[in-house]
Amino acid sequence: MQRPPWTFLTNHGHVLLAVAQSQDARVAEIAAQVGITARATLTILKDLEDAGYLRRHRVGRRSHYTVDAHRHFRHPATAGHEVGELLAIFAPDVSARSRGGA
């Protein structure tokens, strides 16, 4: 069966999930996992950070990210739901760790 050319989750959603699963992942690793360029990944990371879904922490020359699992979705149809609900579906181990905070 051939797959359709679209997906239910955007690249922003895939980057968020990749970061939640590995906060120490390098940009190139996230890009490879999502299937986008490193430049696109950096843009998405900045978007997510600016919107408050991620927090970036510098440790030496590396960036480490944490996901705010309690942040609500932006779209009015899903604004009553938290990002942690998405993590519970696609990254259940991460969701269990983040229930107590960001």
Side-chain angles (χ1 to χ4, degrees):
M1 184 171 155
Q2 189 175 358
R3 292 184 187 183
W6 53 269
T7 64
F8 283 103
L9 296 180
T10 65
N11 286 341
H12 281 69
H14 286 289
V15 168
L16 184 76
L17 288 169
V19 168
Q21 292 169 334
S22 179
Q23 297 176 357
D24 295 328
R26 298 179 191 273
V27 171
E29 295 167 343
I30 296 169
Q33 181 177 338
V34 175
I36 58 177
T37 65
R39 182 180 214 106
T41 302
L42 285 169
T43 299
I44 291 171
L45 287 168
K46 180 75 169 127
D47 288 347
L48 293 170
E49 183 181 3
D50 289 348
Y53 292 96
L54 294 179
R55 290 189 191 98
R56 181 172 54 101
H57 311 278
R58 296 288 295 177
V59 178
R61 294 179 4 193
R62 300 224 18 220
S63 290
H64 298 264
Y65 294 92
T66 54
V67 175
D68 181 353
H70 298 292
R71 189 79 171 173
H72 286 262
F73 288 102
R74 295 178 341 121
H75 194 279
T78 55
H81 298 275
E82 295 180 347
V83 168
E85 295 175 57
L86 180 71
L87 297 178
I89 295 168
F90 291 102
D93 293 339
V94 172
S95 177
R97 288 194 311 259
S98 67
R99 282 190 194 120

